[in-house]
């Protein structure tokens, strides 16, 4: 059972699974729960659920393989996997911070420096990317609860206390005694006493009402990618999707402007497109999203494509030096290429054009009219870049 959960969910989510599976899924009336803090209010109702997801059917099929004990155990979990993903979605939406509230307490540039430094440090230390995503979410939730701008003098201790929480949630008890303390001491070069970090950790926990270990976009990506493990190119697809989520975690507007589940789906959809995966992979991804986190009127597919477009645009902007986050891009790109240096991929601009043509073609078919060029002016609060042919002009 432990191996199965490890294959479907990030380790940072293990405490959440223990709490949610027994409480949230079985709690009466959960299906119509209110999501007051979510920018996109998407409560899951039984009336919208179309049936078992591809992941559930994949796990069920695993039990039919002769002599495979581990697969037989997975098949037992097939009936509850969708309910678990729905509970994760609700918990994530209830606690997702508003980007404006986060930016009011922690300016975007300063936040990017803090998270970017953590990404690089944890990469050097060989720690899991899931830890950084959990730390970023904890810090953002804390910032969103503040009434004013945080003083810069407290940011180092805030980062260390958030890391301390994630280390404990991640199960560092399996590591040698004092491992997490040594990592914290290394991160601050011994400048911050451990008692000060623990005091700040208690303050942070009280502010967050002791609700930690929540799913992040990377958690949802791990779940969506569980059924791909039989595919030869799965490591490359998931690796590129993780790269896009690492870019997104630096941008608070993209990170929290969308549902984390849909942001994960958008990153995987973009990865499929850039890596020229069979169209069937994207179709099955959209089927999983509609099964686990449905929206009325078929809006699930549109929202996934919207997230995909934002991520591709961010990638292109960073690559061309058009974004405030461009300084972090070379190291993140080098990290991805170090793992997949032989990957054959489309340029992100080509993938973005293909996405827009697909989207515009679908809209034209639905409206029963001819294709219309997109307007010159971008809608408010959207991040857009010029088409490649306009940039050349």
């Amino acid at each position: 059972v432990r191996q199965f959960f490890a294959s479907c969910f990030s380790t940072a989510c293990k405490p959440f699974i223990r709490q949610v599976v027994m409480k949230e899924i079985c709690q009466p009336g959960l299906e119509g729960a209110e999501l007051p803090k979510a920018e996109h209010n998407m409560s899951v109702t039984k009336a919208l659920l179309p049936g078992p997801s591809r992941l559930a059917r994949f796990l069920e099929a695993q039990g039919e393989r002769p002599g495979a004990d581990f697969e037989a155990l997975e098949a037992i979990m097939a009936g509850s996997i969708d309910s678990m993903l729905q509970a994760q979605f609700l918990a994530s939406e209830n606690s997702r911070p508003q980007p404006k509230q986060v930016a009011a307490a922690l300016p975007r540039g300063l936040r990017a420096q803090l998270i970017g430094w953590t990404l690089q440090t944890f990469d050097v230390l060989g720690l899991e990317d899931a830890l950084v995503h959990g730390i970023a979410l904890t810090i953002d939730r804390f910032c969103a609860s503040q009434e004013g701008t945080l003083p810069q003098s407290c940011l180092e201790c805030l980062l260390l206390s958030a890391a301390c929480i994630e280390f404990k949630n991640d199960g560092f008890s399996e590591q040698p005694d004092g491992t997490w303390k040594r990592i914290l001491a290394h991160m601050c070069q011994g400048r911050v006493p451990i008692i000060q970090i623990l005091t700040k950790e208690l303050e942070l926990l009280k502010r967050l009402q002791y609700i930690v270990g929540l799913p992040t976009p990377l958690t949802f990506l791990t779940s969506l990618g569980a059924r791909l493990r039989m595919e030869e190119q799965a490591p490359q697809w998931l690796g590129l999707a993780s790269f896009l989520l690492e870019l997104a975690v630096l941008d608070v507007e993209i990170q929290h402007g969308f549902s984390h589940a849909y942001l994960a789906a958008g990153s995987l959809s973009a990865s499929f497109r850039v890596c020229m995966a069979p169209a069937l992979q994207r179709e099955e991804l959209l089927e999983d999203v509609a099964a686990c986190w449905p929206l009325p009127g078929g809006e699930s597919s549109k929202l996934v494509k919207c997230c995909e477009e934002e991520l591709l645009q961010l990638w292109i902007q960073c690559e061309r030096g058009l974004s405030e986050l461009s300084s972090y891009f070379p190291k993140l790109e080098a990290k991805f290429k170090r793992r997949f240096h032989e990957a054959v991929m489309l340029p992100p601009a080509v993938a973005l054009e293909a996405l827009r043509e697909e989207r515009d073609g679908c809209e034209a078919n639905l409206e029963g009219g001819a294709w219309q060029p997109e307007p010159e002016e971008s809608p408010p609060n959207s991040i857009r870049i010029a088409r490649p042919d306009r940039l050349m002009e």
Side-chain angles (χ1 to χ4, degrees):
V1 173
R2 171 180 271 177
Q3 290 176 1
F4 166 72
F5 281 131
S7 70
C8 291
F9 304 99
S10 72
T11 53
C13 198
K14 286 178 182 177
F16 166 79
I17 291 173
R18 287 196 294 267
Q19 297 168 10
V20 168
V21 172
M22 299 308 297
K23 294 181 181 179
E24 305 283 17
I25 293 179
C26 302
Q27 182 179 346
L30 178 66
E31 306 88 274
E34 294 288 336
L35 304 179
K37 296 184 179 180
E39 195 167 316
H40 303 285
N41 194 337
M42 295 181 288
S43 57
V44 178
T45 62
K46 288 184 177 179
L48 292 176
L49 300 181
S53 65
R54 282 275 177 175
L55 175 58
R57 282 177 276 172
F58 169 79
L59 296 177
E60 187 177 6
Q62 293 296 94
E64 299 176 0
R65 298 174 58 185
D69 295 337
F70 178 65
E71 286 75 7
L73 176 60
E74 288 185 328
I76 296 174
M77 305 301 298
S80 58
I81 191 70
D82 288 352
S83 297
M84 189 179 298
L85 291 175
Q86 291 154 21
Q88 280 187 311
F89 176 81
L90 287 176
S92 174
E93 286 298 282
N94 275 321
S95 300
R96 177 160 58 96
Q98 294 291 336
K100 291 182 180 179
Q101 293 176 344
V102 176
L106 184 60
R108 290 175 175 82
L110 199 56
R111 177 187 177 279
Q113 291 180 26
L114 197 67
I115 304 303
W117 179 85
T118 308
L119 279 169
Q120 295 173 24
T121 301
F122 279 36
D123 183 37
V124 171
L125 295 175
L127 299 176
E128 293 183 358
D129 296 337
L131 288 169
V132 183
H133 287 264
I135 291 170
L137 179 58
T138 300
I139 291 175
D140 289 344
R141 290 176 59 217
F142 177 79
C143 290
S145 69
Q146 303 298 304
E147 296 181 355
T149 303
L150 292 174
Q152 291 192 27
S153 58
C154 79
L155 295 184
E156 182 179 29
C157 195
L158 173 61
L159 171 62
L160 294 171
S161 62
C164 188
I165 291 173
E166 291 305 314
F167 290 158
K168 294 172 182 177
N169 280 332
D170 187 57
F172 261 51
S173 59
E174 299 176 3
Q175 302 293 330
D177 292 340
T179 298
W180 61 274
K181 294 182 181 179
R182 288 195 293 271
I183 295 176
L184 291 174
H186 177 77
M187 290 174 66
C188 66
Q189 299 295 303
R191 293 188 300 269
V192 183
I194 189 65
I195 188 64
Q196 185 177 343
I197 298 173
L198 296 177
T199 302
K200 185 68 176 180
E201 178 189 6
L202 181 59
E203 176 191 342
L204 198 155
L205 286 170
K206 288 180 179 178
R207 174 71 70 164
L208 299 180
Q209 299 180 340
Y210 297 91
I211 300 174
V212 293
L214 292 167
T216 67
L218 191 62
T219 308
F220 290 110
L221 174 62
T222 307
S223 301
L224 290 170
R227 65 173 180 81
L228 299 174
R229 63 171 182 252
M230 300 297 184
E231 300 288 342
E232 183 179 354
Q233 288 185 290
Q236 178 182 327
W237 296 338
L238 296 174
L240 180 57
S242 298
F243 162 73
L244 291 173
L245 290 182
E246 287 187 4
L247 281 179
V249 77
L250 297 172
D251 189 317
V252 67
E253 294 290 345
I254 296 180
Q255 178 73 359
H256 301 307
F258 296 99
S259 161
H260 291 166
Y262 277 84
L263 188 64
S267 71
L268 189 53
S269 181
S271 178
F272 286 153
R273 196 179 302 275
V274 170
C275 295
M276 298 175 285
L280 179 63
Q281 293 295 345
R282 286 200 302 276
E283 294 173 5
E284 293 182 349
L285 170 64
L286 295 177
E287 186 178 334
D288 271 351
V289 171
C292 296
W293 315 303
L295 294 177
E299 293 293 320
S300 298
S301 175
K302 292 182 181 179
L303 187 53
V304 170
K305 290 180 180 179
C306 182
C307 294
E308 179 182 354
E309 184 175 12
E310 291 289 343
L311 290 169
L312 288 173
Q313 286 176 160
L314 178 62
W315 183 359
I316 296 170
Q317 285 181 317
C318 290
E319 190 175 47
R320 295 176 177 174
L322 303 175
S323 169
E324 297 177 351
L325 305 176
S326 297
S327 59
Y328 305 99
F329 180 77
K331 292 185 178 179
L332 292 179
E333 184 183 39
K335 177 181 175 181
F336 170 73
K337 290 185 175 179
R338 185 171 70 241
R339 300 175 182 176
F340 307 101
H341 61 281
E342 296 180 353
V344 178
M345 303 185 301
L346 287 174
V350 176
L352 180 60
E353 280 297 294
L355 169 62
R356 286 175 172 170
E357 290 175 3
E358 177 185 308
R359 179 199 61 196
D360 294 340
C362 290
E363 291 176 356
N365 290 335
L366 289 173
E367 294 172 3
W371 176 85
Q372 295 292 328
E374 63 182 28
E376 292 292 333
E377 296 183 0
S378 300
N381 301 326
S382 67
I383 305 174
R384 301 189 68 83
I385 63 170
R387 291 177 178 268
D389 54 343
R390 295 177 188 168
L391 287 173
M392 291 300 294
E393 293 172 1

